[in-house]
Amino acid sequence: MTIHVDDMQLPARVGRMDGVWSHLLSDLPGAAGHDELVAFAARLGIEARWIQNEGTATEHFDLTEPLRQRALALGAVPVRYGRAVAAITRAKREHEASGQASGQASGQAPGPATGFSGR
């Protein structure tokens, strides 16, 4: 459905890389969301192996500010870090829970509302 990029914009050093970091995420649950997210990340030159929290409702890629700007230019929808990201995560978890209720396993363990780190 939609790829989102948040506005966390947290200055941090990750490995040897200093930057201002945000998150790229899909609002689709499950495999469809994963596939959509990985495909969009590939358009940005981001390798699939860099995904964070793979297979969970909080699955995302960390982006530096230049990549965040490119994602927006390619059509990612901006969202506020915090409540908006939590709402997307909650909706994905609810969808997964409804699948479990009908006998489908999601593999999602219960956890906090977002699961996105301020790294």
Side-chain angles (χ1 to χ4, degrees):
M1 295 237 299
T2 304
I3 293 293
H4 299 275
V5 62
D6 71 25
D7 62 354
M8 183 179 76
Q9 299 173 303
L10 178 72
R13 181 174 183 87
V14 177
R16 290 180 273 160
M17 195 166 184
D18 282 313
V20 176
W21 297 86
S22 296
H23 303 109
L24 183 75
L25 61 145
S26 170
D27 62 2
L28 286 175
H34 174 84
D35 293 346
E36 175 183 58
L37 181 60
V38 169
F40 194 96
R43 292 174 60 200
L44 295 170
I46 299 171
E47 296 181 32
R49 66 187 176 98
W50 296 339
I51 199 163
Q52 304 291 307
N53 303 333
E54 185 172 14
T56 72
T58 61
E59 182 173 72
H60 68 280
F61 286 95
D62 293 336
L63 299 180
T64 57
E65 186 58 23
L67 282 176
R68 181 180 175 276
Q69 292 302 319
R70 284 185 51 213
L72 291 168
L74 288 172
V77 176
V79 293
R80 301 274 309 169
Y81 178 72
R83 287 187 180 162
V85 171
I88 291 168
T89 301
R90 190 169 35 258
K92 289 168 72 172
R93 285 189 173 141
E94 288 170 0
H95 183 273
E96 290 167 352
S98 70
Q100 286 179 343
S102 65
Q104 300 170 0
S106 75
Q108 173 62 44
T114 66
F116 288 87
S117 64
R119 316 185 238 138

